[in-house]
C-alpha cells in the first residue's frame, strides 16, 4: 500500500477527503506530503504545513474531526520524535537551568504580535464566556472570577506565578485594592508589564518560581503557567506554593489539562511554540497536592478556550498587513497552525481548562465557588 493510499484511508475515517469540497478537507500541493507525515507524525504535519505542502480552509474543524474519531498522528514517529519522548522520560526538561527558555523563544517573540492578537488587557489565557460577548469582556470576566474565587479584598498581598504582561496584577490592584507580586520568565513581558502597571501596588519580577522566598502571601494565583512546570516538578511546585501561602489563604491554579497522564507534550509545539511544555492530568495534580492542600473547587470550562483561540486568530489575521513588516509567511503559517490546531483540540474536548481552588486548612463553613 502506498503512503498516499494509507493516509487517505486514515483521513477518511474522520470524514476528511484529500482535495475535497468541505472546508475541513485538505488540499495537497506536494506529493511528498504523504510519506513525510506517515514517517514523522504530528511534527511532520506541522512542518509540511509551514513549508506550504498542504492547506485547509477550516484548520480547527479538521483537527476536531481527527481527534474525535481517534486519529492519532502523534503515534507516527521518526528518530527526532522518538528522541524527544525519550528525553522527556529520562531528563528534567523543566529544571531551573531551562526554565527561561520558553520565555526567550515564545513570550519574547514580540510584544507587537501579542498586542495585536490579545485583548486590551493582554491576557494570554482562556477567557470566560458565560456572560461575555467580546474578547475584552471574556477576559475581564475571567479575571474577576479568579478574584472572587480566592475571596480577594483590599490590602491583600497576592503572588501571581507566571504574571505575563501584568493583566491580573493590574486588574486586582485597580478593582480590588490588592498588592501584587507577579513573576515571569520573560524579559519582554516584564518590561511591558511594568509600564502597564506603573503607579499601582504591583511588582513584576523576572524570576523562577523556585527562587521566590518572600512569603507568606494572603493568596497565590497561577494563571496559565503550570503547563511549563513538567511532571517531574509538580510536587516541588506545590511544596513551594504551600511554603509561600498563609495558613488561611487560597491558591487558585488555572491550567490547561490533559485527559490522560503523559510525560511529554506535542513534538511540534515543543519545537516551535512552547519548549519543554506538557499538560498535567487530574491524577498528576492530585498526587502533587496530596497531604498539602484540600481541593475546594474544580471548575472545567475547556470549551471556552476554543472560542478564545478563534478570537486570537481573528485578531492576528486582521493585523497581518502590519505584522508582515516583521514576521514572514513561514511565521504566519506556523502561528496559524498553532492557534487553530489548539482550538480544534479544545473543540474535540481532547484538552480541558481547569480552575482549581486549593487551601491548606478548609474553613468550617462551606466554600461556595463563584461561577
Amino acid at each position: 500500500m502506498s503512503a498516499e493510499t494509507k493516509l487517505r484511508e486514515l483521513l477518511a475515517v474522520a470524514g476528511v477527503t484529500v482535495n475535497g469540497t468541505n472546508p475541513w478537507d485538505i488540499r495537497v500541493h506536494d506529493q511528498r506530503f504523504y510519506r513525510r507525515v506517515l514517517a514523522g507524525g504530528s511534527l511532520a504535519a506541522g512542518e509540511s504545513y509551514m513549508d506550504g505542502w498542504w492547506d485547509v480552509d477550516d484548520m480547527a474543524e479538521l483537527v476536531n474531526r481527527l481527534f474525535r474519531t481517534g486519529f492519532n498522528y502523534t503515534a507516527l514517529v521518526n528518530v527526532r520524535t522518538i528522541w524527544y519522548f525519550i528525553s522527556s522520560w529520562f531528563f528534567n526538561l523543566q529544571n531551573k537551568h531551562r526554565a527561561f527558555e520558553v520565555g526567550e523563544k515564545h513570550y519574547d517573540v514580540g510584544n507587537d504580535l501579542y498586542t495585536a492578537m490579545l485583548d486590551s488587557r493582554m491576557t494570554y489565557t482562556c477567557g470566560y464566556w458565560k456572560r461575555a460577548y467580546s474578547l475584552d469582556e471574556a477576559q475581564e470576566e475571567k479575571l474577576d472570577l479568579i478574584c472572587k474565587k480566592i475571596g480577594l479584598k483590599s490590602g491583600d498581598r497576592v503572588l501571581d506565578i507566571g504574571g505575563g504582561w501584568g493583566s491580573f496584577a493590574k486588574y486586582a490592584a485597580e478593582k480590588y485594592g490588592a498588592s501584587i507580586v507577579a513573576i515571569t520568565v520573560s524579559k519582554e513581558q516584564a518590561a511591558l508589564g511594568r509600564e502597564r502597571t506603573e503607579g499601582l501596588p504591583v511588582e513584576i519580577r523576572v524570576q523562577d518560581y523556585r527562587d521566590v522566598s518572600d512569603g507568606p502571601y494572603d493568596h497565590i494565583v497561577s494563571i496559565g503557567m503550570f503547563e511549563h512546570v513538567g511532571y517531574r516538578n509538580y510536587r516541588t511546585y506545590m511544596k513551594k506554593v504551600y511554603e509561600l501561602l498563609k495558613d488561611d489563604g487560597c491558591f487558585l491554579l488555572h491550567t490547561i489539562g490533559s485527559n490522560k497522564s503523559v510525560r511529554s507534550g506535542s513534538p511540534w509545539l515543543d519545537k516551535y511554540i512552547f519548549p519543554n511544555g506538557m499538560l498535567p492530568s487530574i491524577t498528576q495534580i492530585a498526587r502533587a497536592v496530596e497531604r498539602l492542600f484540600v481541593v475546594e473547587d474544580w471548575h472545567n470550562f475547556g470549551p471556552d478556550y476554543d472560542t478564545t483561540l478563534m478570537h486570537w486568530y481573528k485578531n492576528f489575521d486582521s493585523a497581518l498587513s502590519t505584522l508582515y513588516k516583521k514576521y514572514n509567511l513561514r511565521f504566519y503559517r506556523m502561528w496559524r497552525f498553532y492557534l487553530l490546531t489548539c482550538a480544534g483540540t479544545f473543540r474535540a474536548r481532547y484538552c480541558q481548562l481547569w480552575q482549581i481552588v486549593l487551601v491548606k486548612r478548609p474553613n468550617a463553613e462551606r466554600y461556595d465557588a463563584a461561577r
Side-chain angles (χ1 to χ4, degrees):
M1 182 185 297
S2 69
E4 178 178 350
T5 300
K6 184 175 180 180
L7 190 56
R8 280 177 177 267
E9 289 182 356
L10 289 171
L11 292 171
V13 175
V16 177
T17 303
V18 177
N19 300 325
T21 58
N22 295 308
W24 56 83
D25 289 333
I26 67 171
R27 299 185 299 279
V28 174
H29 308 308
D30 191 311
Q31 289 300 112
R32 295 174 294 174
F33 162 78
Y34 302 104
R35 185 178 297 277
R36 185 176 181 181
V37 171
L38 285 179
S42 60
L43 178 60
E47 289 181 333
S48 61
Y49 179 78
M50 292 164 62
D51 291 339
W53 287 19
W54 64 280
D55 275 299
V56 62
D57 293 331
D58 193 341
M59 179 78 76
E61 185 57 25
L62 166 65
V63 173
N64 173 41
R65 288 171 174 268
L66 292 176
F67 277 96
R68 281 194 177 274
T69 54
F71 183 91
N72 184 15
Y73 61 176
T74 60
L76 307 172
V77 296
N78 60 13
V79 173
R80 285 188 295 171
T81 55
I82 289 173
W83 172 245
Y84 167 69
F85 291 126
I86 291 174
S87 299
S88 301
W89 272 74
F90 290 99
F91 302 105
N92 185 355
L93 300 182
Q94 299 82 15
N95 60 39
K96 285 176 66 173
H97 299 293
R98 302 171 66 102
F100 293 86
E101 186 176 347
V102 68
E104 295 166 357
K105 292 188 176 180
H106 184 74
Y107 298 108
D108 289 349
V109 69
N111 284 332
D112 55 345
L113 168 64
Y114 293 110
T115 300
M117 185 178 83
L118 303 178
D119 64 299
S120 59
R121 290 186 176 274
M122 294 190 70
T123 315
Y124 195 23
T125 48
C126 181
Y128 189 53
W129 291 89
K130 184 176 181 179
R131 291 174 291 270
Y133 295 95
S134 70
L135 184 59
D136 277 3
E137 290 175 350
Q139 295 296 11
E140 289 216 358
E141 286 282 318
K142 186 267 300 297
L143 295 173
D144 199 58
L145 183 68
I146 292 170
C147 293
K148 289 176 179 176
K149 284 182 176 180
I150 64 175
L152 190 62
K153 60 185 184 298
S154 180
D156 281 349
R157 183 168 180 256
V158 182
L159 174 65
D160 180 358
I161 303 176
W165 292 274
S167 60
F168 173 81
K170 190 172 190 295
Y171 187 89
E174 288 178 336
K175 303 293 184 179
Y176 283 83
S179 173
I180 314 295
V181 173
I183 63 170
T184 174
V185 294
S186 165
K187 293 178 181 178
E188 292 297 321
Q189 281 188 334
L192 184 54
R194 288 168 188 145
E195 290 181 23
R196 296 171 68 89
T197 58
E198 187 176 1
L200 294 170
V202 173
E203 178 186 0
I204 298 180
R205 307 172 185 162
V206 178
Q207 187 177 35
D208 182 73
Y209 69 91
R210 284 161 284 211
D211 293 328
V212 180
S213 59
D214 59 345
Y217 288 87
D218 294 294
H219 304 292
I220 298 176
V221 300
S222 181
I223 309 168
M225 175 271 175
F226 198 64
E227 300 89 337
H228 304 306
V229 171
Y231 77 99
R232 290 181 178 272
N233 306 301
Y234 290 155
R235 185 68 173 179
T236 299
Y237 180 93
M238 293 301 175
K239 285 182 176 179
K240 173 56 72 170
V241 172
Y242 186 90
E243 169 196 321
L244 295 170
L245 183 65
K246 287 185 177 180
D247 287 345
D248 60 349
C250 284
F251 168 45
L252 185 138
L253 178 65
H254 172 117
T255 182
I256 300 171
S258 172
N259 292 333
K260 60 181 181 180
S261 297
V262 297
R263 297 190 178 187
S264 60
S266 155
W268 186 86
L269 283 173
D270 179 81
K271 182 175 180 179
Y272 292 99
I273 306 297
F274 296 117
N276 312 317
M278 61 166 291
L279 302 183
S281 69
I282 290 175
T283 299
Q284 289 168 329
I285 293 174
R287 287 173 177 164
V289 305
E290 189 173 348
R291 299 187 305 279
L292 293 175
F293 293 105
V294 172
V295 178
E296 287 282 24
D297 186 59
W298 198 305
H299 183 190
N300 185 359
F301 51 99
D304 287 20
Y305 227 143
D306 178 13
T307 308
T308 302
L309 282 154
M310 294 307 294
H311 275 76
W312 288 347
Y313 172 69
K314 181 180 178 181
N315 289 344
F316 167 69
D317 195 54
S318 297
L320 276 183
S321 59
T322 302
L323 295 175
Y324 261 143
K325 297 174 183 178
K326 179 178 178 182
Y327 305 97
N328 59 25
L329 177 60
R330 183 175 172 81
F331 181 91
Y332 167 75
R333 292 180 70 87
M334 177 188 77
W335 209 256
R336 182 178 191 268
F337 189 82
Y338 153 52
L339 293 175
L340 295 181
T341 56
C342 286
T345 62
F346 283 100
R347 192 175 302 175
R349 303 309 306 276
Y350 183 80
C351 297
Q352 311 302 326
L353 190 285
W354 298 321
Q355 280 191 355
I356 310 165
V357 178
L358 301 154
V359 296
K360 287 183 175 182
R361 300 175 183 175
N363 195 296
E365 300 177 2
R366 185 182 69 183
Y367 176 85
D368 288 319
R371 290 290 190 271

